[in-house]
Amino acid sequence: MQLQGLTGGPQVLSDGTQGQPSVNKQGALWVTEFIPRYYELVYRGLCFTTSEKDVNPTGAIPLGAAGTPLLAIWNPAGTGKNIVVLQIGISIQIMGTGALGGVYASWGITTAITQATKNTIYNALTSATSGSAATAFNNVALTGSTALTQLMPLLSVGANVTSTTPTISPALLDIGGAIIIPPGSVFALTTATSGTAAKVDSNILWAELSV
């Protein structure tokens, strides 16, 4: 059977219908993004987000058992979903009098978190506060969790060698799915040191996909 392509741009198709592959005017198959990168995941209601604002960090890396992160998302055992981190946003409004050092991502296996104070999770398409398999926490102790392992630095707020002025890295990081939180594990954002009169905002955007 010969496969023929349709010359032109993107086609608008309904779910379940058959379509022809799009080719350019030279007859080559298009390899490009006609829609924004996460459009399909958001449009199908698979993406969720949680945020915190004006937090003075009380925990620090390495985050010990039952430690207090800036923001954390826990994927309880048995959800049948992988939490796939897409983007992380960080804003440091006020450095305070302490040296925050930076913001880091941490991860760990934990079967139970009994902390009752939870952060609100929103569906990225509808803003509904239901439907997510995850549980989020904002600047509260992860009671019952194990110690977490540092994954990667995300943002630097350290002084450089010629000035005491903090050096700030980009505050929106496109993780692109490189971090997966399987059932029975937790992912957290934590500063290098605890803060003193600081104000830090952060956000995590993720997709929930079947295991």
Side-chain angles (χ1 to χ4, degrees), residues 184-208:
S185 59
V186 62
F187 173 80
L189 304 180
T190 311
T191 50
T193 60
S194 58
T196 303
K199 286 187 178 181
V200 181
D201 307 333
S202 62
N203 167 271
I204 304 171
L205 173 71
W206 68 91
E208 297 187 6

Side-chain angles (χ1 to χ4, degrees), residues 48 74-76 79 81 83 121 131-135 206 208:
F48 298 87
W74 175 45
N75 187 4
T79 63
K81 301 287 185 179
I83 291 176
I121 294 174
S132 173
T135 304
W206 68 91
E208 297 187 6

Side-chain angles (χ1 to χ4, degrees), residues 113-120 135-143:
I113 296 178
T114 58
Q115 172 61 251
T117 303
K118 300 177 176 63
N119 207 43
T120 304
T135 304
F137 304 95
N138 162 23
N139 202 37
V140 292
L142 300 180
T143 311

Side-chain angles (χ1 to χ4, degrees), residues 1-210:
M1 183 175 113
Q2 184 178 11
L3 181 64
Q4 294 182 327
L6 183 66
T7 305
Q11 305 168 54
V12 179
L13 302 174
S14 300
D15 287 347
T17 61
Q18 294 183 345
Q20 290 177 278
S22 296
V23 297
N24 61 25
K25 291 186 177 181
Q26 287 73 43
L29 185 68
W30 283 108
V31 181
T32 186
E33 292 183 357
F34 282 118
I35 58 176
R37 186 175 185 185
Y38 302 125
Y39 175 87
E40 190 75 9
L41 289 171
V42 174
Y43 178 72
R44 295 190 180 278
L46 300 175
C47 289
F48 298 87
T49 184
T50 192
S51 303
E52 55 79 9
K53 187 177 187 298
D54 295 343
V55 166
N56 178 56
T58 56
I61 57 165
L63 196 66
T68 301
L70 281 171
L71 190 63
I73 48 177
W74 175 45
N75 187 4
T79 63
K81 301 287 185 179
N82 279 328
I83 291 176
V84 184
V85 179
L86 302 177
Q87 293 181 337
I88 296 171
I90 303 165
S91 173
I92 297 178
Q93 294 187 53
I94 300 175
M95 282 286 296
T97 57
L100 296 178
V103 179
Y104 294 77
S106 299
W107 176 90
I109 298 293
T110 187
T111 56
I113 296 178
T114 58
Q115 172 61 251
T117 303
K118 300 177 176 63
N119 207 43
T120 304
I121 294 174
Y122 297 93
N123 184 283
L125 176 68
T126 65
S127 295
T129 56
S130 60
S132 173
T135 304
F137 304 95
N138 162 23
N139 202 37
V140 292
L142 300 180
T143 311
S145 77
T146 58
L148 304 188
T149 300
Q150 178 186 326
L151 277 178
M152 63 181 70
L154 300 173
L155 181 144
S156 169
V157 292
N160 58 46
V161 294
T162 59
S163 171
T164 57
T165 302
T167 301
I168 306 297
S169 302
L172 180 63
L173 299 103
D174 192 356
I175 304 300
I179 297 174
I180 297 176
I181 309 161
S185 59
V186 62
F187 173 80
L189 304 180
T190 311
T191 50
T193 60
S194 58
T196 303
K199 286 187 178 181
V200 181
D201 307 333
S202 62
N203 167 271
I204 304 171
L205 173 71
W206 68 91
E208 297 187 6
L209 305 176
S210 296

